[in-house]
Amino acid sequence: MGESPSNVIVLDHVSKRYGDFVAVHDANFSIATGEFFAMLGPSGCGKTTTLKMIAGFEQPTAGRVMLDGVDVSDVPPYKRNVNTVFQQYALFPHMTVFDNVAFGPRSKKVDESKIKASVMEMLEIVRLSDFAQRKPSQLSGGQQQRVALARALVNYPSALLLDEPLAALDLKLREAMQIELKRIQREVGISFIFVTHDQGEALTMSDRIAVMSQGHVEQIGTPQDIYRSPASLFVAGFIGSANLLPGTIQSHDGADAVVALKAGSTIRVAGQAGVHAIGAHVSVMLRPERLRPSEQVDSQGQSLQGTLTDLVFQGATARMIVHLVDGTELTCLADSSARMPQIAVGATMNVSWDADGGYILAGWPEKAGSNTTDIDHIESTL
Amino acid sequence: MSSSTPKNQMTRRQFLARSGALGALGLSLPAFLAACGGSDSSSSGGSESLFFDNWPLYVDPTADGLTGTVDRFMAATGVSMTYGEGYNDNDEYFAKIQPLLGAGKSIEADIIAPTFWMAGRLINLGWTEKLPKELIPNFSNIEDEYVKPLWDPTGEYSMPWQGGVAGIAYNIDVTGREIKSVADLFDPEFKGKIGMLTEMRDTIGLICMSLGIDISTITSFEDAAPAFEKLAQAKADGQIRAFTGNDYADDLVSGNFAACVGWSGDVLQLGKDSPNVRFVIPEEGGTRWCDTMILPKGVKNGAAAAKWMDFCYDPVQAAQITRYVGYMSPVKGVRDELAKLDPELAENPLVFPDDAANARLRSFATLSEDVEAKFGEEFSAITGA
Amino acid sequence: MTETVVRQNRIARNADRVGMAAMIVASVCLVALGAHWVSGPMVSVVVLVLLLVLGGVLGLAVTGGPEARRLLAPYGLLKPGMLWLALFFLAPVWSLLRISLSTKESRFSVQYNFSWAFQNYATAFRDFGKQFEHAFVYAAIATVLTILIGYPLAYVIAFRGGKYKNILLGLVVIPFFTSYLIRTIAWSTILADRGFVVRAMNAVGIGNVFEWLHIMDNGKLLNTPAAVIGGLTYNFLPFMLLPIYVSLEKIDTNLVNAAGDLYSSASRAFRKVVFPLSIPGVFAGTLLTFIPAAGDFVNAQFLGNPNTTMIGNSIQDQFLKQNNYPVASAMAAVLMVSIATLVLLYTRIFGTEDLA
């Protein structure tokens, strides 16, 4: 982990314990200048604690937090050049929008005339110039959100920390704000570090994602990397939907790995030879959109047989649930505009995929087959 | 000292100060009194009934194997008597009965116990009934000075209940010397350590006597004006720490007061626990006060009231009361009866002052309405209330 | 059928006005009875009017249909409070003002003759200026002290109390289950000349400092202005602390975090965020403390000396000892108006309606 100046934030083996409870274990990564970085994970995974350590509201019990190349582990929040957008915005209710945004510069004793210019400029960027004299209670949720952004950004921090900034908004507004956030981030060119439990949000907005679980950083990478090549069963299940088929590495054949599935069949996974030892317990991950369900036998690539148990039309796509012979449930996502044969529930299906469509992960899943990240389910556990 | 007087009981006037404050706070006084073992009522089925509203802790109760005077009275006469302890403060009680008696209506109590000057006011206002002396043969036992007292010049309206003396009480630990004169109260040595009573006649009375003014002949404010001036000056100088009711007892014992104007009976009782607290009738003389029994206008049970007065003026009965309350009895012959019960108390000069002491005691004159108002106003201007 | 509906609609249209009128008439009737505007047979007439009005509105509500009932309901709900105020506030205030402008024939007369006797007010001002001054000055100092003591205490309980919050609040409040009077008298024991406080101060040698500060006077703590102010401060502390606590408790700790995040030191965060947001509590506490403290007489009576008398003592004395109802009423009226004026001014200056 280098400390090159292009890294605005460096977490150097940072851990945080509360008594016996390990909230964050050995977080060790850096964030580049201008990067949109997401920390993703279910509630209690340590992402917010990590954010608070960067902001300075919490002190690490081990390791260092570096900001612009300087160790700030023991520096209080008000002396760190980072700003936070709080989950419920934490706007000062007794101040106008202008005064809220001007709060930071005034703390730094910036010249009042300069403050006015920079505040108005920032309100321009978040498109709230007309609301400068309103009180926060007179604004909608989305507007409050943008005030919170402006209040943080007006200080031109080295990095902006956002703690579930969209969680309080309804779905429509959330989607609009995702685009808005991206736009603002590009405009100001400041690193955004973004905490969320919503994998869709993370995938949409981030340059890189750190997936966290139970205090551990499971994987850091671009959305594409993480989606295609999850580092663990947890990541595979948490990011998007995945069909996980447990099995054992039988042999390596050229670039292909041959896996004997617990369900009985043997399949080939291209490009995965030599990654896992022969005899290792592994799972083959098949993304639903890579599967081709059909009533015909597909001679190309790999295939498994099963029975169609559910079919949901979703507009551009159709979701099919296929139960394999051994009872394993697969989720397939098919292009609904393509020839959609008149398939009825109960039909015998042949699910096929290209050999490079699979990805092998170590270990067996708790539940074989379809693992869908259900946002509603996750939110209900918050 | 009487052995039957509980050591830590509140004295009658001590009680006055406390309950006055409670009353001012609007707390339920009857409830408080009930809790203090208050009124003694029973119905013996007799045709006659009687209600005496007296000061608290002012008659011997049935306790410690002794039958109280009220019970003895009921047993002897068959009168069904209600003995109340609702008389806590002269002004307060006056405020209570004023709207009724002033409007010509009668009040519930058959006998009430105003202090002599208040009795004088009520008599002047014509709010009292003449005593049916023909039904009170023991009236003849009344001490001479009370036959035609200043507040009741014809002697037709009132009989004293108990009397006492106001003088100087002091804590010798604080003063470091014996106090003999009212002048000592104005000694700068005791600045901020002197207490005065809110009872105007005692405070002003003592100062008047120290200035050679005879308080029994005062008729106008001008007569007493020098005393007021002296008091006002002392207050302005910070000589006076507080004007108190009977809370002076606490201040005296704790040493907050070096000396103060106080009442004989209290100090007599205080001295048992705190030998450093002493009482003296000043060289210049002390004031004498008494609480009376009067019949309010329109009294319903005058005959029964007469029976009670007669009973209490029997020296044998009166001695029992004196033994308990420790004040000066207005009944002749009590000393001899008391000698049989409590010889020590019978010799106490504060209960039975000798002639020399008596000669130094004066009672405050009864003032006309306007003069009394003026005194009250001027006094309250000084006490700051 | 339709006739009923038409009638009900008509009632409903007028229900608002009827409800309001009924309430006013009923209130006036009660004030008339309570303040003795009427006497003799007229009393029965007024009582009759009162019953008729109340019965009439009740009848309207019963027969007027749901819409009328809906419109009358607020007045029905307001009525107990209004009538209570009419009988136990407006009527007594009326009587008070009337007596304050009356004279009586003789000292012990129970008859007050209304005669625009403004000399009662002249007396109140002339003879009791000092006592008014004491009342307002002591109450003001005590109020400031309750803020200085109560605010940090409330702050610690609200932000640092954790799971002990309720226990700590309980500890603040429990002493006040004892009678006001007894608590005050207890202070006279604590502050006594030979009490442990004075002895301890003299032993440590700070007695002289207190003398110099005019807190102690000639070796005394008790029976000084400081003791009176101290008693007021102690007795009214919960009335300051609790509203402040409530307003602090409501503050989102993230606001403090946000201020810190925006480069504010802890003290600036307090000045710019926490304190402004707790002003409603300070405001409410100030009213709850100052108003009763200005009218208090217990503390001055037990902890003061003849030169520290407050107006409450004087009013009590004039009412109960001097039987001087007219002057006493005038003093009470002056006190009431002065406090009301001060409160209005205070509200104007520090009023915080948009913080609610």
Side-chain angles (χ1 to χ4, degrees), chain A residues 333-378:
Chain A
L333 214 52
D335 183 352
S336 67
S337 66
R339 68 203 148 76
M340 270 291 281
Q342 294 299 311
I343 308 173
V345 168
T348 301
M349 300 293 288
N350 187 41
V351 180
S352 59
W353 65 94
D354 298 333
D356 66 350
Y359 185 77
I360 298 178
L361 295 161
W364 286 347
E366 271 174 50
K367 171 181 168 253
S370 174
N371 282 262
T372 303
T373 305
D374 181 346
I375 297 303
D376 294 334
H377 169 69
I378 288 176

Side-chain angles (χ1 to χ4, degrees), chain A residues 63-85:
Chain A
R64 295 183 302 164
V65 176
M66 316 280 291
L67 182 63
D68 291 324
V70 180
D71 182 357
V72 294
S73 304
D74 297 322
V75 175
Y78 68 93
K79 290 184 177 165
R80 296 191 186 193
N81 194 27
V82 291
N83 289 110
T84 307
V85 174

